[in-house]
Amino acid sequence: AQTVTQSQPEMSVQEAETVTLSCTYDTSENNYYLFWYKQPPSRQMILVIRQEAYKQQNATENRFSVNFQKAAKSFSLKISDSQLGDTAMYFCAFTLNRDDKIIFGKGTRLHILP
Amino acid sequence: DTAVSQTPKYLVTQMGNDKSIKCEQNLGHDTMYWYKQDSKKFLKIMFSYNNKELIINETVPNRFSPKSPDKAHLNLHINSLELGDSAVYFCASSSRARQGEDTQYFGPGTRLTVL
C-alpha cells in the first residue's frame, strides 16, 4: 500500500524568506504522480504543483519548486520569497497512473509572519 | 464559471436525519470523487465514479450512497446521520481519458455538522 508522510506538522517563517516543506512516500510502483495542494483558511483545495515520476526534471511554478528524489522517495516543496498569502495547510499527495485515488499526507501548517 | 461546485457549503443537521450534498463540474471531466476531511484535517478518498460507474468505494458505511446522474454530477446522500459524520466533504474531478490530465480539481467543500 502507498503511504505519504509529512514530518513537519507546523512551520513558521518570516515574509520574503524561503521555506522547504518535506514529504516522503512509499510505493513499489514505478509510474505515479506527486502533487502539492494548498488549503488556505478559506478551505479551498488548490493545486500548487505536480510532478510525473518518469520526469527527472523538477517541476516549477513561479515561486514554487520541488526537489524530487525518486530513489529516496522524497518530494519536498520549496517556496521562495514567501508571501503572507502563502499561509495555509500544505498537503503532499500521491496517485498511481492506473488508480485514481489520491493518497494525502497529514499536512503541514505553514505560517508566514509579517 | 466555477469549475467544481458543491451545494450547500454549510450543512447543520440533527443526528438521524438524511441529507444530500450536490456536486457539479463544468470541466468536461469523466471522473468524479468524494473525499472526507476529518477534524484533524486528514483527507481520505470515499468514492470515485468514472462515466457514471462506481470504480472506488473505500470501506465507507452503506449509509453513504453516491449517485451520478450524468458525468458532470456526483451527489452524496447520507442516511441516518451520526455525530462521527461531522467533517468537511470535498468533491473533485479529473479526466481519466486524457493522457497526462489526471490532476484532480477540488470543489470548495461542504462543512457538515451533525448535532
Side-chain angles (χ1 to χ4, degrees), chain B residues 21-78:
Chain B
I21 305 172
K22 295 186 177 181
C23 178
E24 177 180 4
Q25 54 93 5
N26 62 6
L27 297 166
H29 288 164
D30 56 9
T31 307
M32 296 183 73
Y33 314 79
W34 278 107
Y35 289 84
K36 179 180 179 180
Q37 185 174 39
D38 63 24
S39 59
K40 294 183 179 177
K41 300 293 187 183
F42 186 55
L43 268 155
K44 191 173 179 190
I45 184 79
M46 298 174 69
F47 299 103
S48 169
Y49 268 71
N50 176 257
N51 286 321
K52 303 196 297 175
E53 288 189 25
L54 180 68
I55 56 173
I56 294 175
N57 182 344
E58 288 280 313
T59 321
V60 177
N62 57 16
R63 297 182 297 103
F64 290 79
S65 53
K67 296 271 191 306
S68 182
D70 55 56
K71 286 197 304 184
H73 296 84
L74 181 62
N75 304 323
L76 184 64
H77 189 76
I78 315 170

Side-chain angles (χ1 to χ4, degrees), chain B residues 93-106:
Chain B
S93 73
S94 70
S95 177
R96 204 182 192 193
R98 300 177 204 162
Q99 187 70 22
E101 286 195 26
D102 43 74
T103 299
Q104 293 184 23
Y105 294 90
F106 284 77

Side-chain angles (χ1 to χ4, degrees), chain A residues 21-35:
Chain A
L21 280 57
S22 302
C23 174
T24 58
Y25 58 94
D26 190 27
T27 182
S28 57
E29 303 287 337
N30 195 43
N31 293 321
Y32 49 87
Y33 294 88
L34 295 161
F35 307 88

Side-chain angles (χ1 to χ4, degrees), chain A residues 23-88:
Chain A
C23 174
T24 58
Y25 58 94
D26 190 27
T27 182
S28 57
E29 303 287 337
N30 195 43
N31 293 321
Y32 49 87
Y33 294 88
L34 295 161
F35 307 88
W36 279 96
Y37 280 90
K38 167 185 176 181
Q39 188 177 38
S42 66
R43 199 176 69 209
Q44 180 75 46
M45 290 290 288
I46 302 165
L47 177 68
V48 175
I49 202 162
R50 173 180 181 271
Q51 175 81 43
E52 294 96 332
Y54 63 86
K55 288 188 178 178
Q56 291 187 335
Q57 187 174 6
N58 290 324
T60 62
E61 284 289 339
N62 301 314
R63 298 183 295 107
F64 298 87
S65 61
V66 297
N67 184 1
F68 174 48
Q69 302 288 329
K70 192 172 183 179
K73 295 179 183 173
S74 170
F75 183 62
S76 60
L77 175 70
K78 185 171 87 170
I79 306 174
S80 303
D81 186 26
S82 56
Q83 300 174 358
L84 296 178
D86 296 333
T87 293

